Amino acid sequence: MLTTGITAPDFELYSSPYQKIRLNELQGKKVILAFYPADWSPVCGDQMNLYNEMEKYFARHNAQLLGISVDSRWSHSAFSQHHNFHFPLLADFEPKGAVAKLYEAYNEESGECRRALYVMDEKGTIQWSYLSPAGINPGADGILNALEQLDNLK
Amino acid sequence: MTQLIPAVNSNDHIYGNLNAALELVEYGDYQCPYCGRAYPIIKNILRKSGADLKFIFRNFPLSKIHPLALPAAIATEAAALQDKFWEMHDIIFEKQQTLEAESFFLFAETTGLDPERFKSDIQRKDLAEKVQHDFESGLRSGVNRTPSFFINGKKYDSDWEEDELLEYLKDQLAEISIS
């Protein structure tokens, strides 16, 4: 995992079949980057479903959530539609896992992202991170505490 | 280990012996199939544990995937205003497979609620806020799926099949008795 206090490495990935998102374009907002192993696997569904309910909590902290896995934009599109997700899923698909590797959140053995969370402040500095065991959904308490602390520092 | 925040208090719906040594809290969603499966398990465990166990249900509706979860939660809170929280809670889980938006009015009659009062109470803003408050407390407490259980304030992440859960509760009780 990357250490806090450094600038989050920039990247550009597909967020839907025809659109890309560049991380640096989100400056001015806090960003929650949620790496997860795979679309359609039970734990990830739980985790993303939970975050999907939290739109207004994230909005309250001026934060944008981005899910990210090595699945293709088409898989993401179907997964997202199936669960009615209201936040983008980024396809770290080609070259596979490049962004996950950049964020030290890639599992070479399984060829999937690890279950890693990063919170960046409005300037794109990494302020909090957490690596969860692959089978365990980390929940949202850590993210909420991190967002709150950032707002309290102002 | 993740801790229940806030601790069980007077805003909660508590089933069983208030002074029981064991306290089981469920964060649940009335439309979640796993919560539906947990419902008879919890019933059995409550029956077998008698005065040693109290049970608390807090709402954790995942509204984006379960459109009736929030209306169901509000229906139970409205029933609570007529002292029928657990009756409504039970019937919703028992009829989970065939739940629809109109069901709650039918349940109100079946459980013996004043239907007119129920109809007006489900519009009350404070009930929606109570459900919201439960949800937020779940987020704080590290709820990461439904159902999520807390036993005497600590998150319980193991298997919640009847035998496993009962065994764990027994061990907890033994530990409490020793100390």
Side-chain angles (χ1 to χ4, degrees):
Chain A
M1 297 285 282
L2 299 177
T3 49
T4 51
I6 66 164
T7 302
D10 192 26
F11 59 79
E12 188 177 48
L13 289 175
Y14 277 103
S15 59
S16 73
Y18 305 105
Q19 277 176 315
K20 285 183 168 183
I21 283 184
R22 176 175 284 280
L23 181 69
N24 282 354
E25 282 167 7
L26 293 172
Q27 282 192 9
K29 276 188 161 195
K30 299 187 191 70
V31 173
I32 305 146
L33 203 52
F35 290 92
Y36 65 98
D39 289 351
W40 308 109
S41 81
V43 175
C44 311
D46 282 354
Q47 186 185 359
M48 295 304 137
N49 278 324
L50 176 65
Y51 296 167
N52 197 31
E53 301 287 338
M54 297 179 57
E55 218 179 349
K56 71 170 175 200
Y57 299 94
F58 295 150
R60 196 184 286 169
H61 293 289
N62 185 32
Q64 171 69 52
L65 168 69
L66 303 172
I68 174 166
S69 79
V70 297
D71 296 282
S72 77
R73 50 188 153 148
W74 299 103
S75 173
H76 275 343
S77 166
F79 184 52
S80 188
Q81 248 170 25
H82 181 78
H83 287 287
N84 193 18
F85 289 153
H86 288 67
F87 59 90
L89 296 178
L90 306 183
D92 196 9
F93 183 70
E94 182 58 39
K96 189 184 172 204
V99 173
K101 284 172 192 164
L102 201 58
Y103 279 80
E104 299 178 5
Y106 192 69
N107 182 337
E108 300 280 351
E109 231 165 87
S110 63
E112 294 170 338
C113 294
R114 297 154 86 192
R115 209 176 286 284
L117 297 169
Y118 283 98
V119 171
M120 272 72 89
D121 65 16
E122 287 85 345
K123 292 185 185 128
T125 306
I126 298 175
Q127 294 289 0
W128 180 82
S129 70
Y130 180 77
L131 179 66
S132 187
I136 295 180
N137 172 354
D141 46 323
I143 296 175
L144 281 180
N145 288 339
L147 292 174
E148 242 158 52
Q149 256 178 359
L150 285 176
D151 281 343
N152 288 342
L153 287 175
K154 281 178 192 167
Chain B
M1 204 182 260
T2 325
Q3 202 75 26
L4 183 69
I5 309 165
V8 171
N9 58 68
S10 59
N11 291 322
D12 284 307
H13 304 292
I14 306 174
Y15 183 92
N17 174 14
L18 290 181
N19 301 316
L22 295 172
E23 172 196 282
L24 175 65
V25 175
E26 174 183 353
Y27 280 91
D29 168 320
Y30 286 101
Q31 238 190 328
C32 156
Y34 300 98
C35 299
R37 210 160 67 73
Y39 166 74
I41 294 175
I42 301 300
K43 278 255 154 185
N44 283 340
I45 286 177
L46 280 166
R47 197 165 40 78
K48 289 179 180 169
S49 306
D52 290 330
L53 178 65
K54 60 174 176 277
F55 176 60
I56 292 92
F57 186 89
R58 286 182 178 172
N59 297 296
F60 202 77
L62 296 173
S63 306
K64 300 249 163 69
I65 44 169
H66 298 144
L68 293 177
L70 179 61
I74 290 175
T76 62
E77 295 298 337
L81 297 175
Q82 298 186 49
D83 292 325
K84 301 266 190 195
F85 174 83
W86 293 104
E87 288 83 348
M88 185 60 88
H89 167 95
D90 288 4
I91 198 168
I92 293 174
F93 275 131
E94 279 156 23
K95 307 278 184 196
Q96 189 189 52
Q97 308 275 348
T98 55
L99 218 53
E100 43 189 300
E102 295 303 306
S103 305
F104 308 114
F105 300 107
L106 183 69
F107 298 163
E109 290 190 24
T110 321
T111 54
L113 296 176
D114 171 349
E116 290 310 312
R117 184 171 169 205
F118 177 77
K119 243 181 223 172
S120 100
D121 283 346
I122 54 174
Q123 310 290 338
R124 280 173 55 160
K125 225 178 137 208
D126 57 333
L127 298 191
E129 283 165 4
K130 160 85 165 60
V131 174
Q132 188 62 35
H133 192 263
D134 276 0
F135 185 83
E136 288 193 34
S137 81
L139 292 176
R140 291 280 157 211
S141 305
V143 168
N144 52 4
R145 60 178 166 189
T146 53
S148 278
F149 294 105
F150 291 79
I151 294 170
N152 287 9
K154 289 207 177 74
K155 193 155 190 293
Y156 174 79
D157 281 319
S158 310
D159 200 342
W160 44 263
E161 291 301 333
E162 187 172 328
D163 292 345
E164 281 81 1
L165 191 49
L166 207 51
E167 186 88 358
Y168 183 85
L169 287 168
K170 262 189 203 157
D171 291 348
Q172 288 293 302
L173 191 62
E175 254 177 57
I176 294 167
S177 323
I178 294 165
S179 57

